[in-house]
Amino acid sequence: MKRAALLAGAGLLLLSGCYRVQKPAQAQPGAAAPVTRGDGKTLRVFIWSEYIDPDLVKVFEKANGVRVVLDTFESNEAMLAKLQGGGAQYDLAVPSNYVVQTMVRAGLLQPLDKSRLPNLKNIAPGFLNADYDPGNVYSVPYQYAATGLAYNRERYVPQDTWAEIFGADDRRSFVLLDDPREVIGAALKYLGFSANTTRVEELRAARDLLRRVVAKKGFQGFDGGPGTRNKLLAKTVDLGQIYVGDLLIATEEDENVQVLLPRQGTTISMDTLVVLKRSPNPALAHRFIDFILDAENGAQLSNYTYYATPNAAARPYLDDFLKDIPALNPPAAWLADGRLDFIGELPAGRPQRLYDRIWTELKSR
C-alpha cells in the first residue's frame, strides 16, 4: 500500500463501536459486472468500504479463474437491512462480532464447513471460540481494533492506566470517543468490571464515575478518530481515547504521536467473515475465506488496512511499522485473563436502556 496516498485521502466511517479509516476511492474488482447466480465462478462479497486490498482480490481471481464482486456498506445496521430485505444475494459478508448472533437468529447465516478451511489453524487460539460464536460455527475472525489511550510525547507521556482520565487528577486535557459502548466500557474496565456487564450496580458505578469525569476542567468533549488524531498532532490536548488503527496515520506523520493499552484492559471489536444462508456459491465462499486465512495474505490485508490481524501465522510478514506497535498486537495473555473484552451484543430490555440513559446524560452535560 502506498502510505502517501493513504495520508492524502484519510476520512472516517463511523459504525456502532468501530471507526474505519477510509482510503482513496478505488475501482472495486468486478463491481460493474453482472452476476450469474450459482455459476461457481462469481463471488459476491458484502464488506465495509475500503476494507480489503484490491491486489488480494485480483490474486484470488487469477488463481481460481473467477470473478469477485465487492459491494460495500457503511454500518452494521445498513448491512442487516439490506440482507433482511432480500433485495440482493451475496455469498459472504463481513459483520462485526456483536452482530453475528443477530444474523443467526434472523436465519441469515449457514454453518461453516471447517473441512474446507485448513488455514483456520493460523488464527491465534485466543481469537477462536469467542462468546459471540462459540465453536466458530458461523464465523471466522477477519480484522480487529482495540481501543487505547493516545498521546503526543512532545506534550505529555502518560502512565499505562485509565487513571490518567478516570482518576481524581484534573491537570490533563483529554478527549473521549463519541461512542457509548467505548466510553462506558472504558469506565467499567477501570473499575474492574466487564465492558459488557448488565449488572445494575456496576453500571451505576460507571455512571457516577463518568459524571465526575465529564465535569473535569480537562474534559474537551467527545470526538471521533480523525478529530482526536488532529488534536494530538496539533498538541492541543494531552490525551485521547481512540481506536488503535485510527491513530497509525498520525504516528507515521509524527512519530511522537503514540498509543498505549491501559493495564486495566480495554475493549476490542472483531470483524468476521460469514457465509450467507442464501449464498449462490458457498464452495467458492469457503475457498475465499481460506485464502484470506493464509499467513501471507492475512499480513497483506493488515498492511493495507492498518487494522490488527488475528492471524498468528501472518505476523512474520507484517510491515515492520505494524509489528513495532505493541498496542496493535495485545499480549495473548490479555485475551486469556479477561483484560480484553470483545464488545458484545446487549440483551434487550433494561440493560440496553441503562446504557442508553447513561449516554444520554453524558452527552447532555
Side-chain angles (χ1 to χ4, degrees), residues 208-289:
D208 294 344
L209 172 62
L210 287 166
R211 283 173 174 171
R212 296 191 294 271
V213 169
V214 299
K216 287 185 174 185
K217 298 191 302 288
F219 176 56
Q220 302 299 302
F222 301 97
D223 209 338
T228 300
R229 190 170 61 227
N230 291 337
K231 289 179 175 71
L232 291 163
L233 284 167
K235 304 174 194 172
T236 58
V237 295
D238 295 314
L239 299 164
Q241 183 190 20
I242 200 168
Y243 297 103
V244 173
D246 271 354
L247 192 77
L248 298 189
I249 296 171
T251 300
E252 207 172 43
E253 184 175 340
D254 181 351
E255 64 180 12
N256 290 304
V257 179
Q258 299 287 327
V259 63
L260 59 81
L261 299 184
R263 61 176 177 263
Q264 293 92 348
T266 189
T267 53
I268 185 172
S269 180
M270 176 72 73
D271 290 322
T272 69
L273 288 165
V274 298
V275 179
L276 296 169
K277 190 168 186 177
R278 297 177 62 206
S279 166
N281 296 293
L284 187 57
H286 281 78
R287 202 183 316 163
F288 185 80
I289 292 175

Side-chain angles (χ1 to χ4, degrees), residues 174-218:
F174 61 92
V175 178
L176 293 174
L177 274 171
D178 194 6
D179 184 283
R181 295 300 304 278
E182 294 292 355
V183 171
I184 299 170
L188 289 165
K189 295 304 290 183
Y190 173 69
L191 293 169
F193 305 137
S194 165
N196 297 304
T197 187
T198 58
R199 294 177 178 271
V200 173
E201 64 274 18
E202 294 176 356
L203 286 168
R204 285 175 176 165
R207 176 202 61 193
D208 294 344
L209 172 62
L210 287 166
R211 283 173 174 171
R212 296 191 294 271
V213 169
V214 299
K216 287 185 174 185
K217 298 191 302 288

